[in-house]
Amino acid sequence: MKRILCILMFLPFVFASCVDEDETLGMDLVDEKDKFDVGSYDRISMSAIFYREDSLATLNYRYNTLGEYSDSKFGAVKSSVYTQITLSTPSAAFNTYDNIDSVILTLAYAGGYSEDTMLSGRQMRLNIYELSEEIDSTKQYSFDNVECFSQPIYSNNVQIDYNSDVVEGSDTLDPHLRVKIEGEFFEKIKNFGGSNDDFVSQFKGLKFELNKLDARGLMAYIDMEATASCITVYYTQGGTHQKYLIKIPTKGRRFMHYDYDFASSDISPLATGDTIDGNNLIYLGNMGISLAKININDFKEDWLSRVNQGRDENDVSINSAVLEFPVSDLSQINNPSFTSRILCYRKAVINQDTALVLIHDAQTASGDFYDGYYDSRTNSYKMRITMHLENYLNGNISDPNIYLIPDARRSSAARVILNGPNNTIKPARIKVTYSKKKR
């Protein structure tokens, strides 16, 4: 009985606590000149173009794209890998081994890209060439090349399957490419004896290329720093079977070379280095295919005339600013191959050179949906640009224009088509939420 009485006595307090709080409570105590209105504005004018990224550094990245892929929207892109190889010890004497059984080259997969991301395997033509000149320190960019001997040390059709483990005898190994090297290169290994410097001088490096055998092809992602990415020499010494690893050096000289063919694609003008209007659609492709420039030079004028309306600059403050780009091509929405994130850059002068640097918001990103990640709920990319716009209004930066570049653009072949600012279905926009003092 006492418990029931206690509950009945407590009920009025429960109901009182459930009453909505009066939003104006206490406002009569605030001076009128200190009150703020909160508003939003999304009619900021902007224009867009996109163009090819022609000076992409690819030196010594861990994850390399290797292969060839083509579609009607972005054309064809091909990535080859040039790399040094080194001994795993200060010296080696293969020429003293009782018998070298085989030389096996393996490259560890880190995934891949095709029109079907769950692809269980596809035939590609693997060519491996020995380099005839050293990879010097100037070879850093995707347009660089190194001379090779004309005849490959390996050339054959191989099954590329980056989703399935490899069974080797009684062992089950992580997905990797595995081929046996024979012929002159095999004999050259057998006859070597000397220091690592001697080895690097005699074996200047290798070039890997994967050529498509069908209309589409694929891109394999290779973990060049994985233990499994190496050349293994299997040999017999004193009646014991042993192995020796020839390594792909982590910090040696290694880079990717990209080739493009934009003919008959949606972005064919990129073949001649032209820029393409992106006000309707923006094509963003990894591997240096394209990046976009978003021109918002009119932002300050728009802001001052339409929102600020002659007030003192301290009377109006930006609470948040979000740049949103809806995805146009949703044909693979159930199996999306979109780039996972788009980063916002700006132009800056560094050591008297102009370079693209991340906007301040991207440098302090916290990993939420406004940090350029693809949001499947809205089928769009949203980038927070609050600090960037504030820096422009405050005069800390002189150029407000934003450059959209896909993240992981060297290690991924992903691409995406975005709606531009003048798209008639769902245009890109900047939404600014602000506070301003009441007059």
Side-chain angles (χ1 to χ4, degrees):
M1 185 65 180
K2 288 183 178 180
R3 180 178 299 175
I4 295 173
L5 287 173
C6 289
I7 292 173
L8 291 173
M9 291 174 64
F10 186 67
L11 281 176
F13 297 98
V14 173
F15 291 132
S17 65
C18 293
V19 176
D20 288 339
E21 183 178 334
D22 185 354
E23 293 181 355
T24 64
L25 188 64
M27 288 299 289
D28 57 330
L29 303 177
V30 180
D31 194 299
E32 284 295 325
K33 66 181 181 181
D34 294 327
K35 291 181 180 179
F36 282 82
D37 284 328
V38 177
S40 63
Y41 183 70
D42 62 0
R43 290 178 292 167
I44 296 169
S45 63
M46 57 179 174
S47 61
I49 59 171
F50 61 94
Y51 55 94
R52 189 164 71 83
E53 189 174 8
D54 57 2
S55 297
L56 184 60
T58 60
L59 179 69
N60 283 345
Y61 282 85
R62 175 171 180 171
Y63 299 103
N64 284 197
T65 50
L66 177 63
E68 184 177 15
Y69 184 78
S70 178
D71 65 30
S72 61
K73 300 179 185 299
F74 288 84
V77 60
K78 180 179 178 180
S79 178
S80 305
V81 177
Y82 293 85
T83 183
Q84 285 182 309
I85 54 175
T86 64
L87 298 177
S88 55
T89 54
S91 62
F94 302 134
N95 55 356
T96 65
Y97 294 167
D98 293 345
N99 182 55
I100 293 183
D101 303 313
S102 60
V103 173
I104 305 295
L105 181 139
T106 53
L107 296 174
Y109 292 131
Y113 181 90
S114 70
E115 79 278 8
D116 178 3
T117 56
M118 296 305 293
L119 187 74
S120 60
R122 170 166 277 153
Q123 286 275 308
M124 299 281 284
R125 185 75 178 185
L126 173 64
N127 293 321
I128 305 174
Y129 295 89
E130 186 179 358
L131 304 186
S132 58
E133 66 170 338
E134 293 182 358
I135 305 176
D136 63 45
S137 59
T138 67
K139 308 297 186 182
Q140 302 182 29
Y141 298 96
S142 60
F143 54 75
D144 283 322
N145 278 297
V146 180
E147 291 295 324
C148 305
F149 292 110
S150 58
Q151 293 300 313
I153 64 171
Y154 181 92
S155 182
N156 212 336
N157 294 350
V158 294
Q159 187 79 357
I160 303 297
D161 188 351
Y162 43 76
N163 287 317
S164 302
D165 291 337
V166 175
V167 177
E168 189 67 24
S170 59
D171 297 328
T172 300
L173 309 173
D174 290 337
H176 67 270
L177 174 63
R178 185 182 190 90
V179 297
K180 186 176 183 179
I181 305 296
E182 299 176 310
E184 292 184 9
F185 190 82
F186 175 81
E187 296 298 325
K188 191 174 176 181
I189 292 285
K190 284 179 62 176
N191 294 326
F192 176 79
S195 67
N196 186 57
D197 287 343
D198 295 332
F199 184 85
V200 172
S201 176
Q202 291 185 41
F203 297 85
K204 295 179 173 58
L206 299 175
K207 173 189 177 182
F208 305 111
E209 65 176 28
L210 276 177
N211 298 327
K212 60 187 178 74
L213 298 174
D214 54 24
R216 284 290 181 89
L218 60 72
M219 283 289 172
Y221 303 155
I222 306 298
D223 184 350
M224 301 298 288
E225 297 181 14
T227 304
S229 293
C230 64
I231 297 173
T232 305
V233 179
Y234 292 91
Y235 65 96
T236 304
Q237 187 77 332
T240 303
H241 295 292
Q242 302 183 54
K243 63 181 180 181
Y244 182 94
L245 300 184
I246 297 172
K247 298 173 61 178
I248 295 174
T250 301
K251 297 300 180 185
R253 293 174 184 168
R254 183 182 72 246
F255 69 96
M256 288 172 281
H257 171 86
Y258 298 151
D259 290 303
Y260 309 94
D261 182 2
F262 298 115
S264 302
S265 72
D266 291 356
I267 56 175
S268 57
L270 295 188
T272 56
D274 292 344
T275 61
I276 301 179
D277 186 303
N279 287 313
N280 181 33
L281 296 175
I282 299 172
Y283 289 68
L284 281 186
N286 286 24
M287 299 175 60
I289 290 178
S290 57
L291 56 84
K293 176 184 177 182
I294 310 303
N295 185 320
I296 55 172
N297 280 327
D298 294 334
F299 168 70
K300 184 178 287 187
E301 182 178 340
D302 281 353
W303 181 259
L304 294 175
S305 64
R306 300 190 184 191
V307 179
N308 204 309
Q309 295 177 339
R311 288 177 171 83
D312 183 273
E313 63 178 17
N314 295 320
D315 288 346
V316 183
S317 60
I318 297 176
N319 300 334
S320 70
V322 175
L323 182 60
E324 180 178 5
F325 285 90
V327 172
S328 175
D329 183 6
L330 298 177
S331 60
Q332 297 185 14
I333 194 62
N334 294 321
N335 186 20
S337 54
F338 308 142
T339 185
S340 61
R341 189 183 186 193
I342 297 173
L343 294 172
C344 293
Y345 287 75
R346 65 179 178 89
K347 276 192 175 179
V349 177
I350 301 175
N351 298 326
Q352 299 182 334
D353 291 326
T354 301
L356 291 179
V357 299
L358 287 170
I359 65 171
H360 289 86
D361 303 81
Q363 293 178 29
T364 58
S366 58
D368 63 21
F369 282 116
Y370 300 105
D371 290 335
Y373 292 98
Y374 173 65
D375 182 358
S376 59
R377 300 170 303 175
T378 60
N379 294 326
S380 66
Y381 293 85
K382 296 176 182 177
M383 304 81 158
R384 196 186 307 277
I385 59 171
T386 311
M387 296 172 63
H388 179 72
L389 295 187
E390 288 176 337
N391 284 331
Y392 179 53
L393 290 174
N394 295 335
N396 295 329
I397 60 174
S398 59
D399 185 350
N401 296 324
I402 292 173
Y403 295 80
L404 304 182
I405 301 179
D407 196 14
R409 65 193 190 278
R410 301 168 181 86
S411 56
S412 167
R415 63 278 304 275
V416 67
I417 303 174
L418 306 174
N419 287 348
N422 295 342
N423 189 277
T424 57
I425 299 174
K426 190 178 181 183
R429 64 174 183 165
I430 300 174
K431 183 176 181 180
V432 178
T433 303
Y434 60 86
S435 299
K436 63 180 178 180
K437 284 186 178 181
K438 289 188 174 182
R439 283 184 166 175

